Amino acid sequence: MRPAGLASVLLLVSSLLLPGGLSAVPQSFSPSLRSGPGAAACRLSRAESERRCRAPGQPPGGALCHGRGRCDCGVCICHVSEPGVYFGPLCECHEWVCETYDGSTCAGYGKCDCGRCKCDEGWFGDACQYPTNCDLTKKKSNQMCKNSQDIICSNAGTCHCGRCKCDNSDGNGLVYGKFCECDDRECIDDETEEICGGHGKCYCGNCYCQAGWHGDKCEFQCDITPWESKRRCTSPDGKVCSNRGICVCGECSCHDVDPTGDWGDIHGDTCECDERDCRAVYDRYSDDFCSGHGQCNCGRCDCKVGWYGKKCEHPRSCPLSTEESIRKCQGSATLPCSGRGKCECGKCTCYPPGDSKVYGKTCECDDRRCEDLDGVVCGGHGTCSCGRCVCEKGWFGTLCQHPRKCNLTEEQSNSLCESADGILCSGKGSCHCGKCLCSAEEWYISGEFCDCDDRDCDKHDGLICTGNGICSCGNCECWDGWNGNACEIWLGTEYP
């Protein structure tokens, strides 16, 4: 802690500095040394003024105020560009805080004076941590110096009466800690020879980089803002890298618990997938996912026909053969349960579970298809029936988004349908009331100006966006609970 008297003097002197670095010391500051109207003149000669600002024993011409301040009529005004760093009558003190040991200033065996410990009799060291005389046996002393791995002073120091004295051959004090466990030499950049490359702080051998820098030694600069980096790393559940990794410049580096280093059990853009959850008994050397009766999908088991359970561990009795079961679940669709559910013994369980928007004997009805990206059903101008919009009178379109009557002239309408290159609806559709109607013959053409190709969207099981999202100009916009490039990963609270 700062001495109260010195602190108040420092604040007073700091407040008296005018822009430009000139002092505005009041008349009362040194009344006997100033004279004249307004006490502006100094009664001391320049030589005498400088002598008073010079440390005892220093010859004329030596540094004034220890080179840390300005001499004003025999009084040192310490630099305040970093408030509180320099203080004392001659600015001789640097920093307020003394060394600590095991959480105590001066180890409890000394007093802090001008940033240095003055040790009590019988103690020495920067933090007064070493006793002059030791009454411990060497065995007991070494036992007290062992770290959690039973290594004496972490092999980075010597043991002195039960207390570690860390290596300091360079005199920079980079090895420290109760057991010399911290080695800040690990933070020195090999190329620049600076701590953390000059772009961070080192704490116990680890660099903590400034915003916009990353790397073991803060050697790499990130070209995106910290906020954007965090946004990219945030998983659907709102956690950064799902609490299973670290975010580096907008990309998650997942904690890999697989010793092979091949893919790892934790993966995904935001480390959202944990394959360990698919193992009946976790064994990092085993590939026995889902009890051998299913496929692990981002940490959740998708069981084969005839099996169920969180880890597909329970057999399900069914009188139908696998082929018969699939045939019943497929009906006239191209995929079993229309690709929107799970087939079990000839019956479909549509997912996501509990969602009434997907229904039907073969999950053929998907009312989510009636919604736009904002969740509006049939543009607010119709009703949804088994995934298709039934428009109100006066409206038409897949989502009832187009009015039949138009109050715009043809010229006004066409001006709103021109794409950036000046072509009407990119040459792939017609214009109606300022909006493009894309060619029905080319089902994959979409977008505000018919400038998107839905074939660019990712597929899974032959379905664009796996049927669990909307293709928006080449990118899948997944519905709630689904994730992945093709919306193939279910992250909801319950999986069928």
Side-chain angles (χ1 to χ4, degrees):
M1 295 180 64
R2 300 181 181 179
L6 284 176
S8 60
V9 170
L10 178 64
L11 292 174
L12 172 63
V13 173
S14 300
S15 65
L16 296 175
L17 290 180
L18 296 175
L22 297 179
S23 174
V25 181
Q27 300 177 27
S28 59
F29 194 80
S30 183
S32 62
L33 301 181
R34 294 186 177 276
S35 62
C42 179
R43 294 174 59 187
L44 298 178
S45 66
R46 180 176 178 179
E48 177 62 17
S49 174
E50 291 183 354
R51 186 190 68 77
R52 296 191 182 194
C53 289
R54 197 177 293 116
Q58 277 195 328
L64 301 179
C65 305
H66 285 81
R68 298 169 176 164
R70 178 173 53 83
C71 184
D72 183 13
C73 198
V75 177
C76 282
I77 308 296
C78 303
H79 294 319
V80 292
S81 57
E82 298 179 60
V85 174
Y86 303 121
F87 62 100
L90 298 175
C91 305
E92 70 274 21
C93 297
H94 183 206
E95 308 210 7
W96 297 102
V97 183
C98 282
E99 293 287 337
T100 63
Y101 178 80
D102 202 16
S104 299
T105 301
C106 302
Y109 300 110
K111 294 182 180 179
C112 186
D113 181 31
C114 196
R116 293 182 177 274
C117 289
K118 287 192 174 181
C119 303
D120 298 339
E121 187 177 352
W123 294 88
F124 72 99
D126 291 340
C128 304
Q129 70 269 44
Y130 306 118
T132 305
N133 300 311
C134 184
D135 55 1
L136 298 176
T137 64
K138 185 175 182 179
K139 182 177 180 181
K140 178 65 175 175
S141 175
N142 287 344
Q143 189 64 34
M144 292 174 64
C145 286
K146 288 183 178 180
N147 62 16
S148 58
Q149 285 80 40
D150 284 337
I151 301 174
I152 296 175
C153 298
S154 306
N155 284 338
T158 55
C159 185
H160 180 87
C161 198
R163 295 165 187 248
C164 287
K165 193 170 185 179
C166 304
D167 295 339
N168 191 24
S169 57
D170 298 332
N172 49 25
L174 292 179
V175 182
Y176 57 96
K178 184 177 181 180
F179 301 105
C180 305
E181 69 275 13
C182 296
D183 188 350
D184 284 357
R185 293 173 299 186
E186 297 291 332
C187 292
I188 298 176
D189 188 283
D190 296 333
E191 294 184 5
T192 64
E193 296 186 351
E194 290 185 274
I195 296 288
C196 301
H199 305 296
K201 298 288 186 181
C202 185
Y203 299 100
C204 202
N206 294 293
C207 282
Y208 292 81
C209 306
Q210 297 171 355
W213 292 86
H214 64 99
D216 291 340
K217 299 184 181 170
C218 307
E219 67 270 35
F220 301 115
Q221 190 170 15
C222 187
D223 58 358
I224 59 176
T225 65
W227 297 274
E228 176 63 17
S229 176
K230 182 179 179 181
R231 187 191 68 78
R232 294 185 186 183
C233 288
T234 301
S235 57
D237 59 3
K239 299 174 182 175
V240 176
C241 297
S242 306
N243 286 347
R244 300 188 185 112
I246 57 174
C247 183
V248 179
C249 202
E251 294 185 0
C252 286
S253 178
C254 304
H255 300 318
D256 189 349
V257 298
D258 189 338
T260 63
D262 181 16
W263 183 25
D265 292 330
I266 299 174
H267 61 95
D269 291 341
T270 56
C271 307
E272 70 275 9
C273 300
D274 190 345
E275 305 297 324
R276 294 174 299 177
D277 294 338
C278 289
R279 304 178 191 266
V281 177
Y282 180 64
D283 178 359
R284 61 173 58 184
Y285 297 100
S286 170
D287 288 329
D288 185 23
F289 290 108
C290 305
S291 308
H293 304 299
Q295 181 177 352
C296 187
N297 187 3
C298 194
R300 299 174 188 267
C301 286
D302 190 5
C303 303
K304 296 178 182 177
V305 175
W307 294 88
Y308 72 101
K310 190 174 181 181
K311 306 286 177 64
C312 304
E313 67 273 31
H314 302 299
R316 189 187 301 278
S317 59
C318 178
L320 301 176
S321 66
T322 302
E323 293 76 12
E324 290 175 323
S325 175
I326 292 176
R327 189 164 53 249
K328 280 197 169 189
C329 287
Q330 184 167 333
S332 59
T334 55
L335 291 173
C337 302
S338 306
R340 305 186 189 103
K342 179 184 290 185
C343 180
E344 293 179 325
C345 199
K347 292 185 178 181
C348 288
T349 301
C350 305
Y351 53 73
D355 191 341
S356 60
K357 293 179 182 178
V358 182
Y359 56 96
K361 187 176 180 180
T362 58
C363 304
E364 68 275 13
C365 297
D366 187 351
D367 286 354
R368 297 172 300 183
R369 295 186 174 279
C370 292
E371 300 176 0
D372 59 17
L373 291 175
D374 296 323
V376 179
V377 177
C378 299
H381 306 297
T383 56
C384 188
S385 175
C386 195
R388 293 179 179 273
C389 285
V390 180
C391 303
E392 296 172 355
K393 187 176 181 180
W395 295 88
F396 72 102
T398 307
L399 298 177
C400 305
Q401 71 271 40
H402 300 298
R404 294 194 178 275
K405 291 184 179 181
C406 183
N407 296 323
L408 300 176
T409 65
E410 185 177 356
E411 184 178 354
Q412 290 174 329
S413 176
N414 289 344
S415 67
L416 297 174
C417 289
E418 289 183 358
S419 52
D421 55 8
I423 301 176
L424 199 69
C425 297
S426 305
K428 300 175 182 177
S430 58
C431 184
H432 174 77
C433 203
K435 292 187 177 181
C436 287
L437 301 178
C438 302
S439 173
E441 295 178 359
E442 298 175 291
W443 60 268
Y444 46 85
I445 299 300
S446 64
E448 185 179 1
F449 299 104
C450 302
D451 50 348
C452 299
D453 190 334
D454 286 355
R455 293 175 298 183
D456 292 336
C457 278
D458 289 304
K459 294 182 180 181
H460 184 71
D461 284 340
L463 293 175
I464 292 177
C465 303
T466 324
N468 299 317
I470 299 174
C471 182
S472 177
C473 214
N475 293 300
C476 289
E477 297 284 346
C478 304
W479 285 312
D480 290 342
W482 293 94
N483 197 9
N485 291 335
C487 307
E488 76 279 18
I489 301 171
W490 169 248
L491 294 178
T493 55
E494 183 184 355
Y495 190 77

